[in-house]
Amino acid sequence: MGAAILGLLVLLPLYTLALKPAWRHYRLERALDQAATFDAEQDYRNLLLSLYRAAQLGQDDIEAWQRIAGYLSKVGDEQAISARQQVVDLAPGNMQARLDLAADALRFGRLKVGQDALDPVVLSAAELDARYLRLASSIALHLGDIETMKAHLRELLRLTPDDTQAALDLAIAQAWSPDATERAAGRSALDDLLDQPTVRVRAALELLKDAARQQDGPRAAALVERLLATFPAPPTTTDRPAVPLAPLEDVIARLKYSAQDHDTDVAALAAWLSSVRRSDEALRWLQSLAPARIHDSAITEIYTELLLSTGQLGLAVDPLLDATFGPISSDTLLLATGAQRLAVTNHPNAADVAWTEALTIAKTASHNGELRVLARLASIWQRPAWGEAALQAVVTRSPQAFWAYAALHDQWVAAGKTELVWSLLSQWVQRDPHNIDVVTAWLRLGLARPETQGRIRSLAAERLEGLPASPRTLAAQAAWAWLREDSAKARELLQAAGPGARQNPDAAFFVALIERPARPLESLPVLRQLQLLPEERNLLTQGLPKP
């Protein structure tokens, strides 16, 4: 008997070792099952706690990390990038994992991470397929490398000639070109796409936008006639007889009729109507569709935005609680919408108190999703102080939340708050040194202010080193050479940048700074896309201020 017990004692550690992986796997599956339950219940606080436990238990489990990353991405948490990176590290040859990492990196403003994930050097030729090309073209667009973006789109069309979305994207890029010949080619391509049912409405909208940019009355009139000849009129009935319409109104009616079969077209047309100050009309049109259509993911977001911007807050509550903009608790949302109601009824102090309480609750969440939703609500309601408070809360708790830096930057530039913009850029460029957007903005504003030129001179070389190769990078390096009075090097770098430097607003700014055209906005129309501070406008028109 004693020998048997002794034998069991000897074997017990072996049984424990054998059971330990199974027990760990059981706990991991339980944590993931709990995460699925909390996700279905929209209990995002407990969801993230479950994901934290799963991450501890499944450090080498690819499937677990994929599920963790999916949940984090869904709630708008920047940690999704780290989870996606973990999947790539565990399976470097998994192309879908790389695409997922690049997509979330693009979403959260981590362009260098996205670019590295899709580095052709580490991918085989077989992996450079349509999925890769679509995402790589988007990253190139955000990096301001329009020529590379167009090259990716052309290769995509070679592989998939019937990809009308790629054809539309390429035509749009060409229509924005500063080169007159390429602009004409882009407009011609958009005109050809009017015959493609899946993209014809969006092609028409791009042609209308292009006509508005050019401010060419005769061409706009010809376009209206072309669209009237292309799109069928809505059918008339005894309840809805034909009514004579002005030409543009007739075009809009025909676009609505043609768009109704494609949710993406419905969303695009509604967004365009909102952009031309016809939000009420866009909302009435969406509400005339079948309710099930409105709640499709392609339409729900713009529908919710229109409800919020037109003051129909009650109808916006359900889609917001369904995480249309991201996760938000009912308590936070109740306070936020209450704040807006108080603001529009002339109770500003009470409105600010309610908004502050909404922020307080949102800060208790273990993710930034609620704060991100609040920032978006503030933007829709045009409450910059509210948005600023939400975004600063994100930056304070998550120094790597670069999307919040970008939103703050745009808001402060629009308000002309130069000191705050410079302070933000100085922090941002240290934390995200490979972000071409940040480095070019930092360099542009630093050159424009006499008191910061010394900082630029001491740090520019370091900041410009290691940036992703693109015309924007070369143009910025040319500006640095110009500042050092090395005009030959500046010209050499601009020549290497090629025409792409004149197609991107940030790069074109440095081109204008070096070449000094008499009327920069006329010689480089792409500059009109930039939202500039007064100091930057002066730099563009008057040259470098004296320190």
Side-chain angles (χ1 to χ4, degrees), residues 119-394:
D119 187 350
V121 173
V122 301
L123 302 175
S124 68
E127 290 172 323
L128 304 182
D129 58 7
R131 298 172 303 163
Y132 162 83
L133 290 167
R134 286 191 186 93
L135 203 47
S137 68
S138 295
I139 290 176
L141 172 63
H142 284 78
L143 286 169
D145 191 350
I146 305 301
E147 291 303 310
T148 296
M149 181 196 78
K150 290 188 290 190
H152 286 319
L153 290 173
R154 290 188 178 101
E155 177 62 14
L156 178 56
L157 287 168
R158 187 188 68 80
L159 294 175
T160 55
D162 296 330
D163 190 333
T164 52
Q165 182 60 55
L168 177 63
D169 292 341
L170 179 58
I172 292 170
Q174 291 175 313
W176 274 95
S177 172
D179 180 76
T181 302
E182 189 167 18
R183 278 201 308 275
R187 290 173 190 145
S188 178
L190 288 171
D191 190 85
D192 291 341
L193 289 171
L194 294 177
D195 296 325
Q196 298 293 331
T198 57
V199 295
R200 64 189 316 198
V201 171
R202 280 169 286 152
L205 293 176
E206 291 301 327
L207 285 168
L208 288 168
K209 293 174 190 176
D210 178 72
R213 285 196 302 271
Q214 302 303 320
Q215 298 181 345
D216 185 336
R219 195 164 67 80
L223 172 61
V224 168
E225 290 300 318
R226 168 79 168 99
L227 297 179
L228 288 174
T230 301
F231 289 90
T236 60
T237 64
T238 54
D239 295 332
R240 190 176 60 184
V243 177
L245 297 173
L248 181 58
E249 300 303 318
D250 196 1
V251 166
I252 291 173
R254 292 166 185 250
L255 290 176
K256 289 178 183 177
Y257 176 64
S258 295
Q260 63 185 355
D261 293 332
H262 301 281
D263 291 341
T264 305
D265 288 343
V266 170
L269 180 52
W272 178 76
L273 287 169
S274 177
S275 72
V276 294
R277 301 183 180 181
R278 300 175 72 144
S279 296
D280 289 326
E281 177 187 348
L283 183 57
R284 286 194 302 272
W285 175 50
L286 293 184
Q287 290 174 328
S288 72
L289 302 174
R293 291 283 305 283
I294 296 176
H295 297 293
D296 179 89
S297 60
I299 299 175
T300 306
E301 190 165 342
I302 182 60
Y303 172 67
T304 306
E305 279 194 16
L306 290 169
L307 289 173
L308 292 165
S309 64
T310 56
Q312 300 190 41
L313 304 185
L315 292 175
V317 168
D318 283 345
L320 285 171
L321 288 177
D322 286 339
T324 296
F325 290 174
I328 188 167
S329 69
S330 56
D331 290 342
T332 305
L333 182 58
L334 180 65
L335 285 165
T337 53
Q340 174 63 1
R341 286 192 176 96
L342 288 167
V344 298
T345 54
N346 297 318
H347 296 87
N349 293 335
D352 289 343
V353 170
W355 186 260
T356 300
E357 291 178 4
L359 286 175
T360 300
I361 295 177
K363 290 175 187 177
T364 64
S366 54
H367 57 86
N368 291 325
E370 293 206 8
L371 289 168
R372 188 168 189 162
V373 174
L374 289 180
R376 185 165 179 182
L377 292 176
S379 176
I380 292 170
W381 291 331
Q382 298 180 10
R383 307 283 176 194
W386 293 1
E388 184 176 319
L391 293 168
Q392 285 187 309
V394 173

Side-chain angles (χ1 to χ4, degrees), residues 447-467:
L447 289 173
R449 305 173 73 230
E451 62 270 35
T452 54
Q453 285 178 21
R455 188 78 174 158
I456 294 296
R457 291 180 184 277
S458 63
L459 292 175
E462 176 186 344
R463 297 286 183 246
L464 291 169
E465 184 178 352
L467 289 177

Side-chain angles (χ1 to χ4, degrees), residues 27-48:
R27 292 174 63 201
L28 171 61
E29 288 299 314
R30 179 172 172 78
L32 290 171
D33 288 343
Q34 288 176 332
T37 300
F38 292 134
D39 177 55
E41 295 173 350
Q42 298 182 353
D43 183 350
Y44 297 112
R45 186 174 284 104
N46 282 317
L47 167 63
L48 289 174

